[in-house]
Amino acid sequence: MKNIATIILAAGEGTRMKSCLPKVLHNICGKPMLEYLIDNVNSIGIDKVFAVVGHKAGLVKQNIRGVKCITQNELLGTGDAISITRAALLKDNKIDNVLVLYGDTPLLSQGIIKKLIEKHVSSSAGATFLTAQLKNPTGYGRVIRSSNNKIIKIVEELDASIYEKVIEEINVGVYCFNKRALFYGLEKIKPDNKKEEYYLTDTIEVLTKSNILVESVTSNDSEEFLGVNTRAELGKAELVMRKRILDNIMDRGVTVIDPGNTYIEHGVEIEKDTVIYPYTFIENNVKIGSNCNIGPFARLRPGTVVGDKVGIGNFVEIVRSCIGRETKIRHQCYIGDAVIGKNVNIGAGTIVANYDGKEKHKTVIEDNAFIGTGTILIAPVKIGKGAITGAGSVVTRNKNVPAGKTVVGIPARLLNKYKK
Ligand code: UD1
Ligand code: CA
């Protein structure tokens, strides 16, 4: 898709979110909503992606990658936001069409975006936009059609008459414009509406009045075009996204005992025949092998990689750690910044003290080691192959336990010193 550029509008404050964080940076399943849109357009092969930023622009720029940001200094409406991309788009002769997305519709699928572009290109329309039929259309722009079903214009909720308000066909907020038609339309719109803003939606009427073809694609999936304007809608989006992630994971042969009470974030990979028990949280990009049992009540945080046939039980928290195959960490443990080998047993209540108040340190536990119940390992420290720690021992920093040896006590000492 070489001749298409995408503009994602992300300058708004999102007042209705009542937040210090710009709306588009709010997370859904561990990933900022804006990133879902960027990833989707990149995956369908569009590499010219612009984001219009404004409210806390610096913060938005810092937190997103893979887009060229253009700053809208004064938030004068969606039409104004597109107008400021004019210079960047017009100077690139290779761009014929412009896909416009709003940063607050993170559930859009690649499929519907592709369908919209295909229809736009095949019909050579000036603009093609996505519509949907909603039983409760409140809050959305309404699509006004003539008696022979031709699109006339889009009317915003605030400006709609009582007759227009009952229309159930809404503007989803996804458009594909011919570049010249877009800027032709934008030149003619005026802020004569209740909000006194330049509405992108008003370009539709400009085009139809000039006899430029405007097409639409209608989606039946009411979930995917949810616009996130409030915390309640953010919660809804989270539910939909979580279900998508879980369905995808189950499709790959993973058992999720209770999908309604299992929380898996984006980018998580789990191999087949692993079973996830309820109230388990698996955060961004964690990787889990096959035939593992995870949970109930386990929390695997970012940077965790788990091998095959591993058992992780209740109230176990793991972060930035690798767990080797067939290792068992069954009850009430904290493991941070550790590399744990194969077939290790981590006893109930083991704590890896990885943070000394200033820095985090590494812990290594080699294959076949046996960590006794209630052991505290103060990092940095290494437990050698097949070594054992006694129940309740505190292995202090840098007091590495040699392979095959046993340590006990506080601070932990080699057991065989006292043995004949
Ligand atoms: C918009 C549409 C409406 C549609 C709905 C779908 C307009 C005028 N209305 O309404 O027809 O049904 O989306 O969700 O487009 N933004 C900027 N700069 C601005 C103003 C807004 O970048 O000056 C961005 C916002 O950050 C947001 C997006 O544009 O990501 C849409 O703005 P928003 O205020 O949420 O529009 P809606 O009222 O939801
Ligand atoms: Ca919105």
Side-chain angles (χ1 to χ4, degrees):
M1 297 210 185
K2 290 266 173 288
N3 66 341
I4 295 192
T6 298
I7 305 172
I8 306 177
L9 296 193
E13 178 180 351
T15 334
R16 287 169 278 172
M17 294 290 283
K18 300 186 181 141
S19 174
C20 296
L21 193 66
K23 178 164 74 175
V24 292
L25 292 185
H26 279 264
N27 278 348
I28 292 173
C29 294
K31 174 160 120 171
M33 59 175 118
L34 183 54
E35 253 182 61
Y36 284 96
L37 291 158
I38 298 170
D39 290 351
N40 267 349
V41 291
N42 285 339
S43 324
I44 62 176
I46 302 178
D47 48 15
K48 285 177 189 153
V49 187
F50 299 87
V52 176
V53 295
H55 176 71
K56 297 200 175 164
L59 195 59
V60 179
K61 282 184 199 168
Q62 256 173 35
N63 282 280
I64 54 164
R65 291 168 310 270
V67 289
K68 204 170 171 306
C69 290
I70 302 181
T71 306
Q72 184 189 16
N73 292 319
E74 232 186 313
L75 304 184
L76 301 177
T78 48
D80 176 69
I82 300 291
S83 296
I84 65 157
T85 68
R86 185 190 170 93
L89 293 189
L90 289 183
K91 79 171 179 217
D92 188 339
N93 292 326
K94 293 196 191 92
I95 299 172
D96 298 325
N97 293 305
V98 183
L99 174 72
V100 176
L101 304 174
Y102 293 164
D104 63 356
T105 49
L107 300 174
L108 277 181
S109 69
Q110 289 172 30
I112 198 75
I113 299 175
K114 274 193 210 157
K115 201 169 157 190
L116 183 82
I117 295 171
E118 273 159 26
K119 170 109 182 233
H120 178 76
V121 171
S122 66
S123 64
S124 304
T128 309
F129 65 100
L130 192 57
T131 81
Q133 294 287 341
L134 283 195
K135 284 270 163 300
N136 177 8
T138 311
Y140 290 95
R142 309 295 204 283
V143 180
I144 313 296
R145 292 181 184 262
S146 67
S147 50
N148 59 358
N149 212 31
K150 279 224 166 90
I151 292 159
I152 299 174
K153 60 178 174 175
I154 298 172
V155 175
E156 290 306 301
E157 166 95 21
L158 273 180
D159 306 302
S161 67
I162 47 166
Y163 303 106
E164 289 166 337
K165 276 193 180 135
V166 295
I167 293 171
E168 291 178 348
E169 188 182 20
I170 61 109
N171 169 34
V172 172
V174 181
Y175 319 74
C176 198
F177 285 93
N178 167 282
K179 182 172 76 175
R180 281 184 304 141
L182 173 63
F183 290 107
Y184 168 79
L186 285 172
E187 268 173 22
K188 296 202 159 27
I189 60 170
K190 292 190 182 70
D192 48 11
N193 49 59
K194 290 255 167 61
K195 280 178 136 181
E196 300 184 341
E197 286 186 356
Y198 291 90
Y199 287 160
L200 175 64
T201 42
D202 285 348
T203 58
I204 299 300
E205 189 179 13
V206 174
L207 299 186
T208 57
K209 275 191 171 158
S210 306
N211 290 321
I212 296 171
L213 180 64
V214 174
E215 285 284 3
S216 66
V217 168
T218 300
S219 159
N220 297 319
D221 183 346
S222 63
E223 280 180 345
E224 76 168 284
F225 49 73
L226 175 75
V228 176
N229 299 299
T230 61
R231 301 277 181 159
E233 285 163 345
L234 184 69
K236 266 191 209 161
E238 177 90 20
L239 275 178
V240 174
M241 191 62 78
R242 187 185 307 147
K243 184 171 182 307
R244 281 188 194 171
I245 291 172
L246 285 163
D247 285 348
N248 191 282
I249 274 166
M250 290 188 280
D251 251 9
R252 291 170 186 213
V254 173
T255 296
V256 179
I257 302 281
D258 181 1
N261 290 299
T262 302
Y263 303 82
I264 300 186
E265 293 189 339
H266 82 95
V268 168
E269 285 171 25
I270 307 178
E271 284 174 37
K272 68 179 183 187
D273 291 323
T274 283
V275 180
I276 312 290
Y277 289 86
Y279 299 101
T280 290
F281 289 74
I282 304 177
E283 299 179 11
N284 300 348
N285 303 316
V286 165
K287 310 274 178 277
I288 300 173
S290 62
N291 291 289
C292 296
N293 286 312
I294 312 288
F297 300 100
R299 181 176 180 210
L300 306 190
R301 292 172 51 200
T304 299
V305 178
V306 175
D308 299 338
K309 297 187 179 168
V310 168
I312 294 172
N314 37 266
F315 308 109
V316 172
E317 175 182 349
I318 303 179
V319 63
R320 296 180 302 273
S321 295
C322 290
I323 315 296
R325 54 181 294 136
E326 290 176 58
T327 283
K328 306 285 177 275
I329 314 174
R330 293 247 187 247
H331 333 268
Q332 294 110 330
C333 292
Y334 170 68
I335 310 288
D337 299 295
V339 177
I340 301 181
K342 288 179 267 185
N343 193 37
V344 170
N345 187 85
I346 306 280
T350 295
I351 303 289
V352 171
N354 57 331
Y355 184 51
D356 63 9
K358 288 198 188 92
E359 278 177 66
K360 291 186 176 129
H361 302 280
K362 299 257 178 247
T363 296
V364 176
I365 304 175
E366 291 187 339
D367 299 351
N368 306 313
F370 185 96
I371 307 299
T373 300
T375 296
I376 297 176
L377 301 168
I378 301 176
V381 73
K382 179 172 153 188
I383 311 295
K385 277 193 183 162
I388 297 173
T389 68
S393 50
V394 177
V395 184
T396 47
R397 53 187 302 166
N398 293 318
K399 294 283 186 219
N400 297 342
V401 180
K405 301 290 186 197
T406 300
V407 294
V408 294
I410 303 173
R413 283 152 298 197
L414 276 175
L415 186 64
N416 51 5
K417 266 193 186 170
Y418 306 97
K419 266 190 174 171
K420 278 277 167 242

